[in-house]
């Protein structure tokens, strides 16, 4: 039901919000987060999430995009869906997640954790560093064990 002529469909507004937030998140995680806090001392490359999950999401988005093309709906909606697909490919396959080690703490998954907030830390045999915070655990799952050992030594060297 169209309440007024010329109004945008609710799904188009939602798509605009999703694409805008996705672009903002991409810009923040790629460029702006490196400028926050103190200079980065070193960077640790983290393992990616399983790619099959993001592949399923992308295939579903492509199905919706194809249906939208067949129904010859708004070109804006098609463009937004395609933008969402491209953002999903960016976050799932192209972008490499990293942890930034700063003088005051660690930036991981877009979150800054100060060294004093870490109450306990443990390097497991599987090559995972578990950081215990007051209310939660943060898992640092690096691609190279040497990077985790370097981070572990760096945390140990922090004043209590």
């Amino acid at each position: 039901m169209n309440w007024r002529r010329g109004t945008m469909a609710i799904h188009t507004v939602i798509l605009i919000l999703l694409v805008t937030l996705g672009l903002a998140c991409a810009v923040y995680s790629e460029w702006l987060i490196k400028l926050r806090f103190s200079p980065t001392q070193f960077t640790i490359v983290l393992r990616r999430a399983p790619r099959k999950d993001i592949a399923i999401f992308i295939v579903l988005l492509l199905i919706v995009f194809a249906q939208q093309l067949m129904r010859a709906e708004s070109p804006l909606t098609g463009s937004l869906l395609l933008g969402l697909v491209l953002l999903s490919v960016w976050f799932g396959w192209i972008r490499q997640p990293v942890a930034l080690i700063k003088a005051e703490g660690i930036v991981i998954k877009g979150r800054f954790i100060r060294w004093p907030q870490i109450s306990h830390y443990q390097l497991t045999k599987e090559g995972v560093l578990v950081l215990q915070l007051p209310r939660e655990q943060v898992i640092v799952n690096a691609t190279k064990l040497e990077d985790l050992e370097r981070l572990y030594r760096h945390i140990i060297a922090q004043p209590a």
Side-chain angles (χ1 to χ4, degrees), residues 13-152:
V13 172
I14 291 171
L15 282 173
I16 288 171
L17 287 173
L18 285 174
V19 170
T20 303
L21 289 173
L23 282 172
C25 185
V27 168
Y28 177 75
S29 69
E30 196 62 30
W31 294 291
L32 298 180
I33 201 158
K34 293 175 182 160
L35 301 175
R36 292 190 67 196
F37 311 108
S38 61
T40 301
Q41 294 178 339
F42 60 96
T43 302
I44 295 177
V45 178
L46 301 175
R47 289 187 190 142
R48 289 187 170 121
R51 292 184 179 195
K52 73 177 175 184
D53 296 338
I54 196 71
I56 291 169
F57 180 70
I58 290 171
V59 167
L60 290 173
L61 278 175
L62 287 172
I63 290 170
V64 172
F65 176 70
Q67 286 180 341
Q68 189 273 338
L69 282 179
M70 287 183 216
R71 286 187 263 159
E73 289 184 13
S74 165
L76 176 63
T77 304
S79 301
L80 290 169
L81 283 169
L82 197 56
L84 206 53
V85 167
L86 293 174
L87 279 170
S88 300
V89 168
W90 167 259
F91 281 111
W93 274 292
I94 298 171
R95 182 183 70 101
Q96 181 63 54
V98 294
L100 304 174
I101 312 307
K102 309 253 183 194
E104 296 94 20
I106 180 172
V107 179
I108 184 166
K109 298 177 185 171
R111 179 177 173 202
F112 182 67
I113 301 169
R114 296 189 185 282
W115 298 125
Q117 291 176 312
I118 301 171
S119 60
H120 180 71
Y121 41 88
Q122 176 185 5
L123 186 58
T124 67
K125 293 177 187 173
E126 295 82 26
V128 174
L129 181 62
V130 180
L131 305 175
Q132 183 65 46
L133 302 178
R135 295 187 191 129
E136 64 183 306
Q137 287 183 342
V138 175
I139 297 175
V140 182
N141 201 354
T143 56
K144 296 179 185 175
L145 185 58
E146 300 84 37
D147 288 340
L148 279 181
E149 291 170 350
R150 182 178 179 194
L151 175 60
Y152 186 75

